[in-house]
């Protein structure tokens, strides 16, 4: 009897959700990963709970975060992005 095939399960998840989750802000679009590596999860855990910029920088990466910072974004906007991201990917970032 064959055991659980992690690669097959991963391929199925990625086929269903894609490799990235996108959102639009003004006339710009951004991508967030649909799955996080253990390294990224560890870096997220090490962030202060209130470090919104650190969270976004880690998820968006250097280039996208630089573009994101140019937009006039409210905390409510960020909360809405994270809520939608969590619902669609199951990651639940930014929740208490």
């Amino acid at each position: 009897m064959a055991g659980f095939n992690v690669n097959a399960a991963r391929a199925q998840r990625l086929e269903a959700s894609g490799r990235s989750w996108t959102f639009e802000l003004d006339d710009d679009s951004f991508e967030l990963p649909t799955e996080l590596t253990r390294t990224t999860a560890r870096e997220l855990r090490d962030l202060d709970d209130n470090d919104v910029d650190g969270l976004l920088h880690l998820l968006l990466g250097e280039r996208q975060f630089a573009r994101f910072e140019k937009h006039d974004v409210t905390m409510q906007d960020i909360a809405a992005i994270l809520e939608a991201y969590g619902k669609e990917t199951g990651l639940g970032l930014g929740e208490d």
Side-chain angles (χ1 to χ4, degrees):
M1 183 165 150
F4 178 71
N5 187 322
V6 174
N7 292 332
R10 179 185 302 140
Q12 188 175 14
R13 283 191 316 268
L14 291 175
E15 183 178 320
S17 66
R19 292 199 177 275
S20 63
W21 180 84
T22 60
F23 68 94
E24 292 184 15
L25 176 61
D26 301 325
D27 292 328
D28 208 349
S29 65
F30 299 89
E31 294 183 1
L32 297 176
T34 56
E35 296 201 354
L36 301 179
T37 65
R38 288 180 55 232
T39 301
T40 301
R42 188 172 27 257
E43 291 172 350
L44 285 170
R45 185 187 65 225
D46 291 343
L47 290 174
D48 181 272
D49 289 343
N50 297 314
D51 189 357
V52 175
D53 284 341
L55 170 66
L56 292 170
H57 190 261
L58 188 57
L59 292 174
L60 289 167
E62 194 71 41
R63 288 183 180 165
Q64 287 193 108
F65 185 72
R67 285 192 351 239
F68 184 82
E69 282 194 305
K70 294 177 182 177
H71 294 274
D72 186 19
V73 181
T74 67
M75 291 305 294
Q76 289 81 359
D77 293 335
I78 293 170
I81 292 167
L82 293 177
E83 181 179 349
Y85 179 60
K87 283 182 182 176
E88 292 185 36
T89 64
L91 292 173
L93 300 170
E95 295 178 358
D96 291 19

